[in-house]
Amino acid sequence: MIRGGRFFAAMLVTMTVVVSTVGQADAAQCGNGPGGFETWKREFSEEARAKGIGASALAGLMQANYASATIAADRSQRSFGLSLDQFLAKRGASTIIARGRSLKQSQAALFASIEQRYGVPPGPLIAIWGMETGFGSQRGNQNMLSSIATLAYDCRRPEFFTEQLYAALKLIDRGALSAGTRGSMHGEVGQTQFMPKNILAYGTGNLDVAASALSSTANFLKANGWRAGAGYQPGEPNFAAIEAWNAAQVYQKAIALMGRQIDGGGQASER
């Protein structure tokens, strides 16, 4: 019985290795340059078809191009290594704060409605809006699907962007996005720059429309623990929701600082 048990266990290990190897062989392989991108698209499309992605989305994927500009941007995000003062100056914080205060007044009814529903005050939403797209003026002109497909193929972070690619394909299937949708270098779209997976989870409407984008952003923050009335500076309860929005510490602190100044809680020179 002991010998038989050992033999059976050994057979299970062997079968597991074989199944694992087959799974790896069937999976689309990542790459570090444009050379294998077309082959990868064909392999990925077969996997996506087997998981229920529709023909129109897959046709769009097959038309996607290797986005060299996206790879270059992904390798050179130097601004996140700046000090807080340097980052604020580079991103035009004083302009964002000044215009943000004006928008808070002119769009008071919209921001009151959002705060009533989600508990998020205007300041951090306006700061994110200004930081991400200059209040909608700079939403990017890269093909969203090409950018995300390139990053899903690239060996640096394929797992994260594979999830984003599946989300993008689902949104195309649903008609919420198209294969021609334009966005920023990493595939972010809309007035506050949502990735596809977050659109599926938190989107409340057309993200090219400011009101929908701001509501979606507030929905994201609430889902990530935002508590109405609590503070959002570093060390305060709601700062964790800002951390969930963007992983760069200097970005997080900038949003908190600008948001406080837009909400009337400090001067532009405060740090």
Side-chain angles (χ1 to χ4, degrees):
M1 291 293 292
I2 294 174
R3 289 182 62 188
R6 288 176 178 170
F7 176 77
F8 182 67
M11 287 292 292
L12 283 176
V13 170
T14 301
M15 290 172 64
T16 300
V17 170
V18 169
V19 170
S20 176
T21 302
V22 170
Q24 292 173 0
D26 288 344
Q29 299 299 301
C30 71
N32 292 304
F37 187 58
E38 294 301 318
T39 298
W40 176 88
K41 284 195 303 182
R42 289 192 294 271
E43 294 173 349
F44 188 92
S45 292
E46 290 304 314
E47 296 170 20
R49 181 178 290 106
K51 293 181 179 181
I53 299 298
S56 61
L58 294 177
L61 175 60
M62 292 308 298
Q63 295 300 312
N65 297 312
Y66 184 83
S68 297
T70 287
I71 294 298
D74 189 60
R75 303 295 193 265
S76 60
Q77 299 182 63
R78 297 188 184 92
S79 66
F80 292 139
L82 299 174
S83 70
L84 179 57
D85 283 341
Q86 291 170 332
F87 185 79
L88 289 167
K90 184 175 181 64
R91 293 299 186 96
S94 59
T95 300
I96 292 173
I97 292 164
R99 185 160 181 214
R101 287 171 172 168
S102 175
L103 286 165
K104 180 185 174 183
Q105 292 182 343
S106 65
Q107 303 294 323
L110 170 63
F111 287 112
S113 174
I114 291 173
E115 185 167 11
Q116 182 177 23
R117 181 169 183 178
Y118 300 104
V120 183
L125 293 177
I126 293 172
I128 289 171
W129 187 19
M131 179 80 82
E132 292 288 354
T133 66
F135 305 104
S137 66
Q138 301 168 18
R139 282 173 271 174
N141 195 33
Q142 302 296 312
N143 180 270
M144 176 273 301
L145 194 54
S146 290
S147 294
I148 295 176
T150 297
L151 291 166
Y153 159 72
D154 184 62
C155 287
R156 182 167 178 248
R157 289 183 288 169
E159 294 84 2
F160 175 83
F161 284 102
T162 294
E163 291 184 350
Q164 299 296 338
L165 181 53
Y166 271 113
L169 295 172
K170 289 177 183 177
L171 288 163
I172 292 170
D173 269 346
R174 297 177 184 182
L177 297 178
S178 76
T181 295
R182 315 299 286 187
S184 293
M185 286 296 183
H186 289 76
E188 311 96 327
V189 299
Q191 296 259 348
T192 56
Q193 300 287 273
F194 265 64
M195 293 296 288
K197 191 175 177 182
N198 284 339
I199 297 174
L200 283 176
Y202 310 110
T204 63
N206 184 350
L207 295 175
D208 284 327
V209 176
S212 294
L214 292 164
S215 293
S216 299
T217 305
N219 190 30
F220 173 96
L221 294 172
K222 181 180 180 181
N224 281 275
W226 193 283
R227 300 206 319 256
Y232 56 84
Q233 297 306 299
E236 295 181 329
N238 287 331
F239 189 69
I242 295 175
E243 291 177 313
W245 178 265
N246 189 295
Q249 292 183 357
V250 70
Y251 181 105
Q252 298 159 1
K253 293 176 182 177
I255 293 300
L257 178 67
M258 290 190 295
R260 182 178 67 189
Q261 291 163 7
I262 291 167
D263 277 336
Q267 300 299 315
S269 60
E270 289 185 9
R271 294 290 180 271

